[in-house]
Amino acid sequence: MSCFLQAPVAHTFLSSASSCRTVRRTKALNLRCGALGAKNAAKIPMPPINPKDPFLSKLASVASSSPEAVLNSSANPDTPPFLDLFESPKLMATPAQVERSVSYNEHRPRSPPPDLPSLLLNGRIVYIGMPLVPAVTELVVAELMYLQWMDPKQPIYLYINSTGTTRDDGETVGMETEGFAIYDALMQLQNEIHTVAVGAAIGQACLLLSAGTKGKRFMMPHAKAMIQQPRVPSSGLMPASDVLIRAKEVVINRDTLVELLAKHTGNSIEAVAEVMRRPFYMDANRAKEFGVIDKILWRGQEKVMAEVASPEEWDKNAGIKVMDGF
């Protein structure tokens, strides 16, 4: 206000020189007051603004390039202001993007996961170490879907040490559909599936072992694989008609299992059905011959086996002659 009171004071002087000096002094005071006002205005507190905010960045870019687009923006009651400036409005990241950007960087956690299963999952390893019961199937299918969502191009490693839908004593603990559910999930994935038998792969677990990507199916040297016919669950006090229905369902599951094993092992359906009449156990070498796996994970094994002579060469070098009829 004092700035505006200087003009009347200047008019009290009568001499021209004094009036000129007063006018110059008044202009100088006005300039100083204007600078003071701008300085005070700059000190007005502003709300915190994220410089990386996509909405504000886009709005600032539009305002600098074409201010009339911001000033003349049409007011639409059905749309929040300024959203019409965006070709694809995106005010905030989706939960999936937030999870990716915050928790992971190139599929590595910024902080260690809290438990061992999470560490394995972070290494793209799905471990089946129990019989295939509903809880195991639910977890395995969820992990497979999650790993494909994280990166559909990186391989998924399926480690198997399971007795399938039975326990080690042969008692049925799960339906055959548990194994088929995991199998169907594997077939739907875009990723390569590397299967590894680290202990036992029995029944439906053997099917999962053989369902890996060709050339990426492995077995530890002392692991065991076994295929067998599905078992009829305990019938209890069921009526005879219900027992018959269950028996028919078991036969259907057996035929499905035979067809899938024949598909992935390269054997005929008749050959697979023949060996499945009784439990068919396979060590690593036999499983490789049967087509369940492609390689045995034994360090230096390929070099050692390449240097081993064939049985005929052993007999020849030892001077043993094979007689006809023996």
Side-chain angles (χ1 to χ4, degrees):
M1 185 178 293
S2 60
C3 301
F4 296 100
L5 294 177
Q6 298 301 325
V9 174
H11 290 290
T12 57
F13 296 92
L14 299 178
S15 63
S16 61
S18 299
S19 62
C20 292
R21 287 196 300 271
T22 304
V23 171
R24 287 197 296 270
R25 187 181 298 111
T26 302
K27 291 182 179 179
L29 287 174
N30 288 336
L31 292 175
R32 285 197 296 270
C33 290
L36 182 61
K39 185 177 181 180
N40 291 336
K43 292 183 178 180
I44 297 176
M46 297 291 292
I49 297 177
N50 181 10
K52 297 182 180 180
D53 185 277
F55 177 77
L56 296 180
S57 301
K58 179 66 176 179
L59 189 61
S61 175
V62 173
S64 60
S65 60
S66 56
E68 64 280 356
V70 178
L71 297 177
N72 302 329
S73 178
S74 60
N76 188 354
D78 298 330
T79 306
F82 301 122
L83 282 188
D84 55 337
L85 303 177
F86 293 81
E87 296 178 358
S88 57
K90 188 176 181 183
L91 297 182
M92 62 180 298
T94 62
Q97 292 172 329
V98 171
E99 196 278 338
R100 286 191 188 186
S101 61
V102 174
S103 301
Y104 291 86
N105 181 16
E106 295 297 328
H107 313 292
R108 297 296 183 200
R110 295 183 179 179
S111 60
D115 55 334
L116 182 59
S118 298
L119 283 171
L120 292 176
L121 185 63
N122 182 62
R124 305 188 65 80
I125 296 175
V126 177
Y127 180 60
I128 304 178
M130 294 179 61
L132 301 181
V133 296
V136 174
T137 301
E138 178 184 0
L139 178 61
V140 171
V141 172
E143 290 180 341
L144 293 174
M145 295 170 61
Y146 173 77
L147 290 176
Q148 180 184 233
W149 173 82
M150 283 296 297
D151 195 335
K153 297 182 180 179
Q154 292 295 324
I156 298 175
Y157 304 92
L158 184 63
Y159 284 60
I160 301 173
N161 182 21
S162 173
T163 56
T165 55
T166 61
R167 294 193 313 193
D168 52 358
D169 58 358
E171 181 181 353
T172 302
V173 294
M175 299 180 64
E176 298 298 315
T177 52
E178 305 297 338
F180 292 145
I182 300 177
Y183 172 83
D184 290 339
L186 290 174
M187 295 299 101
Q188 295 299 321
L189 297 178
Q190 303 176 17
N191 311 69
E192 280 191 352
I193 306 298
H194 297 201
T195 55
V196 183
V198 296
I202 297 176
Q204 292 278 355
C206 187
L207 171 63
L208 300 180
L209 175 62
S210 66
T213 304
K214 292 289 185 179
K216 306 296 182 180
R217 303 173 300 176
F218 308 99
M219 198 170 182
M220 292 297 185
H222 302 101
K224 292 289 183 180
M226 189 264 279
I227 54 177
Q228 62 182 353
Q229 296 190 40
R231 299 176 181 270
V232 179
S234 177
S235 57
L237 300 177
M238 287 186 179
S241 58
D242 292 357
V243 174
L244 180 60
I245 292 174
R246 283 204 170 191
K248 290 181 178 179
E249 182 63 23
V250 171
V251 172
I252 293 174
N253 290 334
R254 180 202 62 188
D255 294 341
T256 303
L257 182 60
V258 169
E259 292 177 2
L260 295 178
L261 283 172
K263 171 185 175 182
H264 292 287
T265 59
N267 297 293
S268 64
I269 294 179
E270 293 76 13
V272 176
E274 180 64 27
V275 298
M276 277 184 59
R277 290 182 180 275
R278 303 296 299 168
F280 181 63
Y281 284 90
M282 296 172 282
D283 59 9
N285 290 314
R286 197 170 186 181
K288 184 177 179 181
E289 294 175 359
F290 194 72
V292 175
I293 62 170
D294 303 301
K295 296 180 182 178
I296 303 173
L297 291 181
W298 181 13
R299 292 195 176 186
Q301 180 261 354
E302 295 181 356
K303 180 179 179 181
V304 172
M305 295 302 293
E307 297 175 354
V308 174
S310 64
E312 293 78 9
E313 293 179 355
W314 275 102
D315 294 342
K316 182 179 179 180
N317 296 334
I320 301 175
K321 295 183 179 180
V322 179
M323 299 180 62
D324 295 338
F326 291 90

